[in-house]
Amino acid sequence: LKSNPSNNEEKEAQTQLTKSDELQRLHSQALSAYQQEDYEAAISLLDEILAVCVWDAELRELRAECYIKEGEPSKAISDLKAAAKLKNDNTEAFYKISRIYYQLGDHELSLSEVRECLKLDQDHKQCFSLYKQVKKLNKQIESAEEFIREGRYEDAINKYDSVMKTEPEVPVYATRAKERICHCLSKNQQSTEAIKVCTEVLQLEPANVNALKDRAEAYLLEDLYEE
């Protein structure tokens, strides 16, 4: 406007400047809230900014961090996927998405995302370390499921024992492994052991339909019809 004054555009320019100042103020407040660990407030402020600055990858990554802290991983994934598209070579976003899927127990999607990271940078230390872990776990689970399809229940149980040793830190894998071991024991007519393992699963997940069905089969083998 200084180089080309125009009454028509003056009002529009002032509106844009006012909006810009407001967004900068909101941004400062969002960062402050994040630093004070008030993630709910930070998300609310970032929602306002991102309604205008739709294509800002860094703001989306910040909001994703807040979602992670607030225990909303699926919303974090959505923001990180957008950030991965908006910023070239965004290995960090792919790494974080892979980590979240892994923590949720979705090892296949985790493997897919960490591969995207390594496509961008094959020497990325964090991604390579995660890739090795997920690939090993993925292979063990696939192998165990193949044994189950073939009716080789003892082999499947041994393989799921290996899964629990490979990933002792993330509880969801131990629970899924025990659920499948419970299934194998029931199918293999090892009813006493099946009831024990199925019960362990049901203490963690009372509404686990697979464990309920497999324990019911085991009770039938023991002639415990009421149970």
Side-chain angles (χ1 to χ4, degrees):
L1 280 173
K2 280 177 184 169
S3 64
N4 185 17
S6 158
N7 291 335
N8 294 341
E9 288 169 8
E10 177 105 29
K11 198 173 176 188
E12 172 65 12
Q14 279 306 133
T15 306
Q16 295 286 10
L17 278 170
T18 306
K19 199 177 213 176
S20 170
D21 289 341
E22 171 66 4
L23 289 171
Q24 285 182 322
R25 188 180 63 76
L26 290 172
H27 187 219
S28 297
Q29 287 180 341
L31 289 174
S32 174
Y34 177 76
Q35 281 153 7
Q36 288 166 21
E37 299 182 10
D38 186 352
Y39 303 115
E40 197 178 333
I43 289 167
S44 177
L45 290 158
L46 288 164
D47 286 347
E48 281 190 69
I49 306 167
L50 279 160
V52 182
C53 308
V54 184
W55 314 117
D56 193 311
E58 284 175 16
L59 288 176
R60 286 189 177 274
E61 285 175 16
L62 181 61
R63 188 168 66 175
E65 282 299 313
C66 295
Y67 281 136
I68 291 167
K69 301 284 189 188
E70 284 289 287
E72 297 193 73
S74 57
K75 289 182 179 177
I77 287 170
S78 175
D79 266 346
L80 287 166
K81 284 193 169 179
K85 286 184 182 141
L86 291 167
K87 202 157 81 181
N88 285 339
D89 299 342
N90 197 344
T91 52
E92 195 59 30
F94 284 117
Y95 172 70
K96 284 178 181 172
I97 295 167
S98 179
R99 287 273 328 152
I100 295 170
Y101 277 134
Y102 186 73
Q103 295 292 326
L104 291 172
D106 200 329
H107 51 95
E108 288 170 335
L109 278 176
S110 176
L111 189 60
S112 166
E113 294 295 333
V114 81
R115 279 182 174 140
E116 290 300 318
C117 172
L118 290 170
K119 275 184 201 169
L120 295 171
D121 178 5
Q122 59 187 24
D123 298 321
H124 194 290
K125 283 183 182 172
Q126 286 176 305
C127 284
F128 187 66
S129 172
L130 181 59
Y131 171 70
K132 283 198 298 184
Q133 174 73 2
V134 187
K135 192 181 177 193
K136 182 180 179 184
L137 194 73
N138 202 49
K139 198 171 178 186
Q140 287 175 332
I141 292 170
E142 281 180 354
S143 176
E145 288 301 312
E146 185 62 34
F147 286 142
I148 291 172
R149 283 192 290 274
E150 292 169 2
R152 294 166 60 185
Y153 299 116
E154 282 296 331
D155 290 333
I157 289 166
N158 291 334
K159 195 57 78 174
Y160 269 118
D161 279 333
S162 300
V163 166
M164 289 192 279
K165 289 190 184 94
T166 297
E167 184 43 84
E169 303 295 323
V170 184
V172 65
Y173 294 107
T175 308
R176 288 290 83 75
K178 282 182 181 176
E179 181 194 306
R180 298 307 277 156
I181 289 170
C182 139
H183 175 72
C184 293
L185 290 165
S186 183
K187 285 285 185 191
N188 219 24
Q189 303 199 337
Q190 293 167 262
S191 48
T192 310
E193 271 300 297
I195 291 164
K196 178 171 165 282
V197 177
C198 295
T199 301
E200 281 178 33
V201 176
L202 288 162
Q203 280 167 350
L204 297 165
E205 296 180 351
N208 187 312
V209 175
N210 294 326
L212 285 167
K213 288 196 295 184
D214 288 321
R215 189 169 69 172
E217 291 292 337
Y219 280 142
L220 282 174
L221 291 167
E222 292 286 306
D223 299 334
L224 296 166
Y225 300 120
E226 283 298 323
E227 284 86 341

